[in-house]
Amino acid sequence: RPTLVPTVLEVLRRNFNRRQRDLKLFEFGRTYQWKETGKTAERETLLLVLTGQREAESWARKAEKVTFHDLAGAVLAVLAKLGLPEPLQQPLAAGHPTLTGGLTLHRQANGPALATLGVLDARQAKVFDVDQPVYWAELDWAALLKVANPTITTRELPRFPDVRRDLSLVVDQAVTFAEIAAVARRTERKLLTALNVFDVYEGDRLDAGKKAVAVAFTLQDPEQTLTEKVIDGVMGRLMQQLEKQVGAVVRR
């Protein structure tokens, strides 16, 4: 195959037929081009594809469609992981066979393109019944690996289980989750591995200007199983500092 376009469009069509229209896909694939010598040249490509909504539907945020900037951010994240400096950007040349309105990324001026980004040609997408914008990036994987200089950090997988504890905190409506998270992480740097909001309540059972934020805290010790005494001590410190720094009151 000279291009990955038909393969990926078929994947999109199958998902669309099953009412899955918000997609973020990647594929490693080989393509082949004829050379003047009559032989074929093989190219390995990392393909990134975005289409539909940026994130799953939620009460907390307005639905937004993915944009070219989301695609560019994903490509730059891959390059950063490979230890590559900020690439040079050039407008996509007119007449590209599959993409419109995009960029090519280069390591140096007049050098080969490490990545090509754009919007998939709508006429080609329509052949496969894909009727929404498809943001498309092809990264020359072999070329990237030749210039990559990644810094890789590894650690042993934890052998001991994590523990979850939930708190319902009544705070001023102006208090954000980012503020709550910052206080929690400053208070417990060793054992707190994650926290997230799983419910927010604003209603007549609370004083005016207040809201109840339900937060899940995940604790884990990489060296031993946590005891109830240690867990209670951590949660006690968290409640004390949340009360002191953001005025939180535990809702029981």
Side-chain angles (χ1 to χ4, degrees), residues 22 24 53-65 177 197 200:
D22 305 326
K24 297 180 177 68
Q53 301 294 334
R54 177 179 291 128
E55 296 176 318
E57 186 178 10
S58 169
W59 62 270
R61 55 182 173 269
K62 182 175 67 174
E64 295 180 337
K65 294 187 180 300
F177 172 65
V197 173
V200 176

Side-chain angles (χ1 to χ4, degrees), residues 70-142:
D70 296 311
L71 177 70
V75 172
L76 292 176
V78 172
L79 298 185
K81 287 290 186 182
L82 293 172
L84 298 175
E86 187 74 19
L88 298 175
Q89 301 182 11
Q90 295 181 359
L92 185 67
H96 191 280
T98 57
L99 303 180
T100 60
L103 297 169
T104 56
L105 305 182
H106 305 257
R107 190 182 184 201
Q108 57 190 15
N110 301 319
L114 298 177
T116 304
L117 302 72
V119 183
L120 188 65
D121 182 74
R123 293 168 298 179
Q124 297 187 42
K126 189 175 181 180
V127 174
F128 286 80
D129 301 320
V130 174
D131 56 0
Q132 63 190 41
V134 177
Y135 297 93
W136 186 283
E138 294 186 14
L139 288 75
D140 188 332
W141 194 242

Side-chain angles (χ1 to χ4, degrees), residues 140-239:
D140 188 332
W141 194 242
L144 285 172
L145 292 183
K146 288 180 181 178
V147 298
N149 184 29
T151 299
I152 300 174
T153 302
T154 62
R155 63 181 179 182
E156 184 180 2
L157 290 172
R159 293 177 293 163
F160 301 96
D162 58 23
V163 175
R164 169 174 164 164
R165 291 291 185 270
D166 298 343
L167 291 178
S168 180
L169 305 171
V170 178
V171 295
D172 292 339
Q173 288 184 340
V175 174
T176 65
F177 172 65
E179 293 175 288
I180 294 172
V183 171
R185 295 194 185 282
R186 286 196 302 267
T187 302
E188 181 50 61
R189 299 178 184 273
K190 179 182 178 183
L191 301 181
L192 180 64
T193 58
L195 69 162
N196 69 284
V197 173
F198 61 90
D199 192 26
V200 176
Y201 171 77
E202 298 178 18
D204 53 12
R205 287 183 288 174
L206 297 174
D207 294 337
K210 298 289 185 179
K211 64 182 177 182
V213 182
V215 183
F217 299 83
T218 302
L219 308 176
Q220 188 174 44
D221 190 328
E223 299 176 357
Q224 60 187 347
T225 300
L226 291 171
T227 64
E228 287 298 323
K229 182 179 179 179
V230 171
I231 296 168
D232 290 344
V234 171
M235 297 308 297
R237 291 194 300 275
L238 288 171
M239 287 187 285

